Amino acid sequence: MSISKTYSPREAEDKWYNYWMEKRFFRSVPDDREPYTIVIPPPNVTGVLHMGHMLNNTIQDVLIRRARMQGKNACWVPGTDHASIATEAKVVAMLRERGIEKKDLSREAFMEYAWEWKEKYGGIILEQLKKLGASCDWDRTKFTMDQDLSEAVVDTFVHLYKKGWIYRGIRMVNWDPKGKTAVSDEEVVRKEVNQKLYYIKYALIDQQPTGSHQPSVNSYVVIATTRPETIMADAAVCINPNDGRYKHLKGKSVYVPLINREIPIIEDEYVTMEFGTGCLKVTPAHDLNDYELGVKHRLSVIDILNDDGTLNEKAGILVGEDRFAARKKIAELLDLHHHLEKVEDYKSQVGFSERTDAAIEPRLSMQWFCKMGEMAGPALDYVLDGEIKLIPDKFVNTYRHWMENVKDWCISRQLWWGQQIPAWYNQHGDWVVAKTREEALDGFLEKADPDRKFSENAARGFKAQLDPFLKQDDDVVDTWFSSWLWPISVFDTSVFGDPANPGNADLQYYYPTNDLVTAPEILFFWVARMVMAGHEFKGEAPFKNVYLTGIVRDKLGRKMSKSLGNSPDPIGLIGKYGADGVRVGMLLCSPAGNDLMFDESYCEQGRNFANKVWNAFRLLKGWEIDDSMPFANAVPVAWFGNRFAEALEEIDQHFDGYRLSEALMATYKLVWDDFCAWYLEMIKPAYQQPVDRETFNHTKAFFSQVIRLLHPFMPFLSEELWHDDVFGERAESDCCIVAEYPVLGHPTNEVLLSEIQAVKQLISEIRNLRNSKQLSPKEALPLTVKSGSDTDYQVYKDIIVKLANVSEVAISEEKVTGAASFLVGRDEFFVSIPTGLIDAESERERITKEIGYLRGFLKSVDAKLSNERFVANAKPEVVENERNKKADAEAKIRILEENVIRLT
RNA sequence: GGGAGCUUAGCUCAGCUGGUUCAGAGCAUCUGCCUUACAAGCAGAGGGUCACUGGUUCGAACCCAGUAGCUCCCA
């Protein structure tokens, strides 16, 4: 029976993924084995798979599959987060298409639409992960707005509020006027933008009445600003007290242009004298720094913007205009009224909403905050103490810097899609925080009657009266306020209401998880906060290792993005190169923690590798076995066994250090070079010749090991081959995915490994000789060995004969005249070729060159050895090594010198 | 402006605690092969002032200082 010449991934992928699901190999329940757990960084429920996910999830799947094969109880928990801003934006867009405005809907009606949308479009990404081969325990799939996870969020809110770690306050927040919500600092993307710097004249008011006229050079001051539309919100003009130019302004006032409101001139060293004119307009309601300045100098706060970014009546003019339209118009007005001195081009950093791309408006508003101070300390210690390892560890510095300068977390969002804040207000705007309406009523009762003096009736009456006015906070909490609970909440949500509760069996078994694989961009607002929540609710870090992947860039180094259109469609790639090919491709170019310059050619390399393995298998499969033949390949079999052990040791070390791309490369070379190019060629019978039983069995066993080694990287191909009938009948649950991972054993025969190394070099030399002399590979050449080492080349005769097409391997004490010669180590080899092909001149040149090289080498070695300080200071083994090098070089030079003489 | 990191072959990267004349891998390139497992392949070959300048050392790609360029994070 013949199998196709190339591996075709498509059928294998669907077939085996379904089979794994059917046999429930991904399923994990607690038992007495050691757990190995990963929780997926929940992708946005509205998202589709992009290259970053591909990388991230390939890594997780490699780790989880390897652990599973190593006999651990491997559990990979999948799920999605509800991405409040992104999802709400999509729902709003959908409604608009249907002609419905959000503001016309009740909260309940809107939520119905939102859930409908989520059911319809949400979770596509999880289906896409299956195409990649992700072996998640799908029965455990979680969503951050699941009933229990939402309850966990509310419990957490109440818990932290009771501890005094959640508070409500007026703060300057990053306002997204398009999404009409506050966003966190982390959700603001700063970009450099070409702007204009407007130089505006503010008329001076001479406060000193008659008598002491000061000869004023200017009757106005000039202020440079990029935001002229905010002048109506100005509360002061600020100068630096050290600025000699403006001494005359101290204690005076100016008029705000156009509206002629009087504002004071204040002094503060905050002002940069060199920037603009050195005069700053202070607008506390619309700039963070100005706000702080305003607080310091007790300035009034005039907020002239509506939540959608249009000007409100407090602006006095241009009411209802959008802020950007207003900017243009105000510039014109200023110009018209001769308040504009000049306009310059100016580049500056402007924040944009990550979700809606609207320019962020610093805005004062009432928000809920979570205190970070108390939680940051322990969360930092886990990392500094090494209880949590960041990989690569360069991120420890960044982590520390952030944790030591942490700011309180604004957790409220002016949205509906998410967990509604469990704060309840009465008609006077007083509030209590409570899990339910009932508890809120109790809360108000307790506030009103702290000493419980009310009769039962009075209490009931109080609540009945309050009830119609009781209103829950309109806002929801930030999505990260759900995801920071993720490593706990996916298993058990009972601990959030009661941290003393040890949790259910799942939580006790799987928590803390082992590895977290995520992007460095969210180290702070996700990883760090998970550590905080883990510590708060479990008293233990949520994971042991955090593997931080790089950003997937295109080969020009640009971040892959939809707008650039430089990101390949991952599902398309899988179709083109196979899931295994793409997985290999991703890993080949992904050093830990560094960005990767992705190029499709890596996937091609992955596909080619899959095909190589496939064809090696075809070779084995095609062999006929002759039971009467004796075992002919003891040496190759012994060698590959040792080589495999040696490579496995290296691969394991790479895995231990999370150097996955190097683990893959080591595997790749073991399979392609050692197994295919050397081992299989050594044992391969001549065309249409049978192979002996023992060789066949050993090779089959090697193959089985190789397939297992490949499985974490290439699950589909390995599973497909695993079930080939070459391996006989397999039991239903006998699958590669649960086969035992090769167990580390040290190579037992170092001599054999190094001697084969020499043999391989010898064979390459002969092949090279043929190539350079254009000798046919079909013509067998006689080989003579003049050994200078302990190696017995007769042991390797069969291998040399086969791979170098040598007619004989003669051992001699003498040099062979009229033959091509070369050295491997201290062993000298002679290949008889037609004398006409030996060019004495070029031969002499080659050898002379080599001697020159060796003499240089020897000189440097001698220099070291004759240097007393070297011999005195260097480690003994280093000195010993130098002596060996010296002897080796001298022996080689002697041989080569003889050869040069013989050529003449 | 503050902090972190990077710079090694055409490309992507290794190079652990200085010690082979140490400069390495994969891909790409070049040469020769359709040798019945594989042209998605086989056999060979070429390719680098380890960013630059100094210093420490018996010895530096590796340690130190400075310079230049790039990237990221925070303001």
Side-chain angles (χ1 to χ4, degrees):
Chain A
M1 140 183 179
S2 69
I3 57 176
S4 113
K5 222 172 157 178
T6 51
Y7 168 58
S8 40
R10 198 171 299 246
E11 308 101 72
E13 288 173 9
D14 288 345
K15 179 173 64 182
W16 293 116
Y17 201 86
N18 290 334
Y19 195 78
W20 292 328
M21 292 283 275
E22 246 170 61
K23 297 292 169 213
R24 303 183 63 69
F25 288 130
F26 305 160
R27 180 66 182 150
S28 170
V29 287
D31 58 23
D32 48 13
R33 287 176 296 165
E34 178 191 344
Y36 176 84
T37 316
I38 298 180
V39 292
I40 201 169
N44 173 346
V45 70
T46 67
V48 291
L49 200 66
H50 59 61
M51 296 305 289
H53 295 124
M54 292 282 277
L55 171 68
N56 180 260
N57 289 289
T58 297
I59 290 167
Q60 291 174 73
D61 198 45
V62 167
L63 295 174
I64 205 91
R65 283 180 185 271
R66 180 164 175 272
R68 189 182 291 120
M69 292 175 75
Q70 285 174 325
K72 294 174 191 163
N73 187 345
C75 182
W76 183 10
V77 184
T80 47
D81 79 29
H82 61 277
S84 52
I85 300 178
T87 308
E88 182 149 333
K90 291 202 177 169
V91 175
V92 167
M94 172 191 82
L95 289 173
R96 190 163 297 148
E97 262 176 41
R98 298 193 199 169
I100 307 169
E101 287 296 322
K102 182 189 166 192
K103 62 175 168 39
D104 299 333
L105 290 176
S106 70
R107 187 179 193 115
E108 289 67 33
F110 177 84
M111 288 300 274
E112 255 177 58
Y113 281 117
W115 278 106
E116 176 195 323
W117 193 92
K118 185 259 173 188
E119 292 310 323
K120 196 165 170 193
Y121 301 106
I124 292 174
I125 195 162
L126 297 182
E127 291 310 307
Q128 292 179 311
L129 284 178
K130 294 178 181 172
K131 300 277 175 231
L132 184 66
S135 58
C136 306
D137 182 353
W138 298 107
D139 293 350
R140 293 181 178 274
T141 305
K142 290 287 190 290
F143 176 51
T144 50
M145 266 175 74
D146 285 343
Q147 183 57 43
D148 52 342
L149 272 73
S150 289
E151 210 180 307
V153 166
V154 172
D155 283 337
T156 301
F157 192 104
V158 174
H159 171 83
L160 294 176
Y161 180 79
K162 281 185 188 156
K163 281 189 102 160
W165 290 357
I166 284 183
Y167 62 92
R168 196 165 176 245
I170 292 182
R171 280 289 185 88
M172 184 69 72
V173 295
N174 301 302
W175 185 259
D176 175 347
K178 204 165 165 189
K180 292 190 194 170
T181 179
V183 297
S184 68
D185 290 345
E186 290 82 4
E187 289 162 314
V188 177
V189 185
R190 286 176 191 283
K191 295 183 207 163
E192 185 152 277
V193 170
N194 288 317
Q195 299 208 92
K196 301 242 184 275
L197 200 55
Y198 298 85
Y199 288 77
I200 304 171
K201 300 178 198 168
Y202 284 54
L204 262 178
I205 306 168
D206 198 341
Q207 283 177 321
Q208 283 135 329
T210 53
S212 58
H213 281 297
Q214 282 191 332
S216 170
V217 182
N218 296 313
S219 56
Y220 55 84
V221 292
V222 178
I223 285 143
T225 178
T226 57
R227 303 202 60 190
E229 74 279 14
T230 62
I231 58 168
M232 289 84 81
D234 285 351
V237 162
C238 189
I239 53 171
N240 193 308
N242 307 318
D243 196 335
R245 296 172 294 174
Y246 295 123
K247 277 195 176 124
H248 63 287
L249 296 179
K250 289 183 186 179
K252 297 203 171 176
S253 302
V254 294
Y255 281 127
V256 174
L258 303 177
I259 57 168
N260 291 333
R261 184 159 46 75
E262 185 177 337
I263 54 170
I265 291 173
I266 59 168
E267 297 167 57
D268 199 291
E269 293 192 343
Y270 162 76
V271 179
T272 313
M273 292 187 272
E274 292 74 31
F275 182 82
T277 60
C279 262
L280 178 75
K281 72 196 246 338
V282 185
T283 321
H286 300 292
D287 182 277
L288 182 57
N289 296 313
D290 290 11
Y291 176 70
E292 280 161 11
L293 214 50
V295 171
K296 193 168 159 190
H297 295 269
R298 297 170 186 272
L299 299 173
S300 53
V301 174
I302 308 155
D303 184 347
I304 60 160
L305 288 174
N306 292 313
D307 61 5
D308 62 354
T310 56
L311 271 58
N312 65 26
E313 37 326 308
K314 285 192 193 135
I317 53 172
L318 299 172
V319 174
E321 295 279 352
D322 178 74
R323 53 194 168 139
F324 294 112
R327 182 176 302 173
K328 279 193 186 133
K329 290 193 177 164
I330 210 121
E332 285 162 14
L333 284 172
L334 287 168
D335 198 24
L336 194 67
H337 294 90
H338 310 289
H339 289 297
L340 198 56
E341 190 181 72
K342 61 174 176 176
V343 179
E344 280 177 355
D345 286 330
Y346 180 67
K347 269 188 189 163
S348 72
Q349 296 278 321
V350 176
F352 291 87
S353 166
E354 193 180 44
R355 303 295 179 196
T356 65
D357 207 36
I360 290 297
E361 191 64 52
R363 186 169 195 250
L364 286 173
S365 66
M366 186 66 90
Q367 302 287 343
W368 290 93
F369 290 87
C370 184
K371 284 190 191 172
M372 292 279 100
E374 287 90 339
M375 286 194 269
L380 173 58
D381 290 341
Y382 282 114
V383 170
L384 293 186
D385 299 346
E387 269 185 74
I388 295 175
K389 259 172 53 190
L390 302 185
I391 299 145
D393 58 9
K394 67 177 177 186
F395 287 108
V396 172
N397 282 335
T398 334
Y399 184 86
R400 177 175 40 207
H401 185 258
W402 192 78
M403 291 304 244
E404 285 172 351
N405 296 283
V406 70
K407 283 184 286 180
D408 287 353
W409 175 15
C410 174
I411 53 173
S412 42
R413 296 289 181 272
Q414 288 62 51
L415 301 165
W416 284 348
W417 179 243
Q419 290 92 7
Q420 198 171 355
I421 287 175
W424 305 77
Y425 302 84
N426 66 10
Q427 62 271 46
H428 311 299
D430 303 323
W431 80 81
V432 297
V433 166
K435 190 171 176 181
T436 60
R437 191 178 185 87
E438 228 6 81
E439 286 173 29
L441 288 170
D442 290 339
F444 273 110
L445 177 63
E446 204 184 313
K447 262 191 168 176
D449 176 26
D451 305 323
R452 295 179 187 274
K453 286 181 179 155
F454 285 14
S455 68
E456 206 167 295
N457 247 342
R460 201 175 306 127
F462 175 87
K463 290 205 258 182
Q465 218 173 17
L466 172 61
D467 192 55
F469 298 101
L470 193 68
K471 194 174 174 303
Q472 190 174 357
D473 198 300
D474 273 331
D475 293 349
V476 296
V477 286
D478 181 14
T479 307
W480 295 108
F481 201 81
S482 326
S483 14
W484 73 325
L485 311 177
W486 188 250
I488 301 172
S489 63
V490 295
F491 298 115
D492 184 8
T493 53
S494 68
V495 299
F496 300 106
D498 172 19
N501 177 349
N504 65 10
D506 272 6
L507 188 63
Q508 291 183 40
Y509 182 72
Y510 293 114
Y511 191 93
T513 68
N514 295 70
D515 298 338
L516 179 82
V517 181
T518 191
E521 302 138 54
I522 54 176
L523 182 61
F524 312 128
F525 55 124
W526 191 45
V527 179
R529 287 173 186 160
M530 278 192 288
V531 179
M532 294 177 188
H535 179 76
E536 179 63 20
F537 293 104
K538 286 298 296 167
E540 224 178 333
F543 26 67
K544 299 181 189 91
N545 301 293
V546 180
Y547 180 101
L548 296 150
T549 61
I551 296 166
V552 184
R553 299 173 178 279
D554 65 12
K555 61 176 174 181
L556 299 174
R558 299 172 308 180
K559 193 169 171 173
M560 285 191 172
S561 73
K562 257 189 206 153
S563 50
L564 270 176
N566 58 349
S567 177
D569 167 34
I571 299 302
L573 280 180
I574 290 176
K576 200 165 166 193
Y577 301 104
D580 291 336
V582 176
R583 290 164 67 107
V584 167
M586 294 301 311
L587 287 181
L588 278 174
C589 58
S590 59
N594 280 334
D595 289 357
L596 50 135
M597 309 297 158
F598 179 80
D599 189 79
E600 260 193 57
S601 66
Y602 288 108
C603 296
E604 195 181 336
Q605 194 182 344
R607 178 203 59 181
N608 293 355
F609 183 45
N611 198 48
K612 182 72 189 176
V613 177
W614 177 259
N615 275 290
F617 193 78
R618 281 180 66 215
L619 176 68
L620 172 79
K621 202 172 158 53
W623 283 338
E624 234 172 83
I625 304 150
D626 184 341
D627 282 314
S628 67
M629 286 170 70
F631 181 32
N633 291 298
V635 174
V637 165
W639 168 70
F640 188 73
N642 275 276
R643 176 63 201 122
F644 188 89
E646 189 182 46
L648 185 59
E649 212 168 8
E650 187 195 343
I651 291 163
D652 277 12
Q653 278 166 15
H654 287 316
F655 268 115
D656 289 348
Y658 292 84
R659 295 183 296 268
L660 300 199
S661 66
E662 288 181 62
L664 170 60
M665 187 45 74
T667 308
Y668 180 95
K669 286 195 275 192
L670 173 72
V671 174
W672 199 310
D673 299 342
D674 295 310
F675 188 63
C676 295
W678 288 102
Y679 174 75
L680 289 177
E681 292 299 332
M682 285 176 192
I683 62 154
K684 185 165 130 185
Y687 181 53
Q688 288 190 332
Q689 295 298 305
V691 69
D692 68 80
R693 169 69 66 184
E694 205 169 340
T695 299
F696 184 81
N697 285 345
H698 279 296
T699 307
K700 199 171 75 177
F702 286 150
F703 227 113
S704 164
Q705 292 291 309
V706 162
I707 292 171
R708 294 170 210 222
L709 204 55
L710 287 171
H711 181 84
F713 301 113
M714 311 178 96
F716 295 110
L717 171 72
S718 53
E719 195 69 80
E720 174 77 11
L721 296 179
W722 185 261
H723 292 273
D724 190 276
D725 49 22
V726 161
F727 295 110
E729 193 78 11
R730 295 261 186 211
E732 268 196 14
S733 59
D734 179 0
C735 289
C736 193
I737 187 176
V738 287
E740 194 190 354
Y741 193 77
V743 179
L744 183 57
H746 295 285
T748 50
N749 194 339
E750 302 280 357
V751 174
L752 179 62
L753 282 170
S754 73
E755 290 192 348
I756 289 278
Q757 203 53 43
V759 169
K760 282 160 76 172
Q761 201 187 327
L762 154 64
I763 291 165
S764 288
E765 290 282 2
I766 297 174
R767 286 170 173 172
N768 190 11
L769 179 72
R770 264 190 225 278
N771 243 338
S772 62
K773 304 286 183 202
Q774 304 208 315
L775 290 162
S776 160
K778 285 178 182 142
E779 193 182 340
L781 302 168
L783 173 74
T784 304
V785 186
K786 181 174 178 293
S787 183
S789 71
D790 298 333
T791 309
D792 176 4
Y793 284 90
Q794 285 300 340
V795 171
Y796 306 106
K797 186 183 163 192
D798 291 348
I799 295 171
I800 298 164
V801 164
K802 195 182 227 164
L803 299 191
N805 194 18
V806 159
S807 56
E808 58 170 315
V809 178
I811 308 292
S812 166
E813 294 292 310
E814 300 299 321
K815 289 179 192 283
V816 178
T817 39
S821 72
F822 53 85
L823 271 178
V824 173
R826 291 191 206 175
D827 301 325
E828 211 175 345
F829 296 89
F830 301 91
V831 180
S832 305
I833 57 172
T835 39
L837 288 175
I838 298 175
D839 175 356
E841 195 49 47
S842 68
E843 211 39 23
R844 182 164 39 241
E845 206 174 295
R846 182 179 67 87
I847 298 172
T848 311
K849 207 171 147 193
E850 209 174 329
I851 292 171
Y853 169 87
L854 284 166
R855 284 201 179 123
F857 176 66
L858 185 62
K859 201 173 149 194
S860 80
V861 175
D862 274 335
K864 281 186 202 175
L865 286 171
S866 56
N867 183 329
E868 279 171 35
R869 302 174 73 177
F870 170 74
V871 181
N873 295 332
K875 282 181 261 175
E877 58 267 32
V878 172
V879 179
E880 183 54 31
N881 195 25
E882 293 301 310
R883 297 221 163 88
N884 289 339
K885 276 154 61 180
K886 178 181 161 81
D888 202 52
E890 283 169 346
K892 281 181 178 172
I893 289 169
R894 207 177 313 119
I895 294 167
L896 291 171
E897 279 173 345
E898 288 163 16
N899 291 356
V900 170
I901 292 162
R902 286 153 47 83
L903 277 169
T904 45

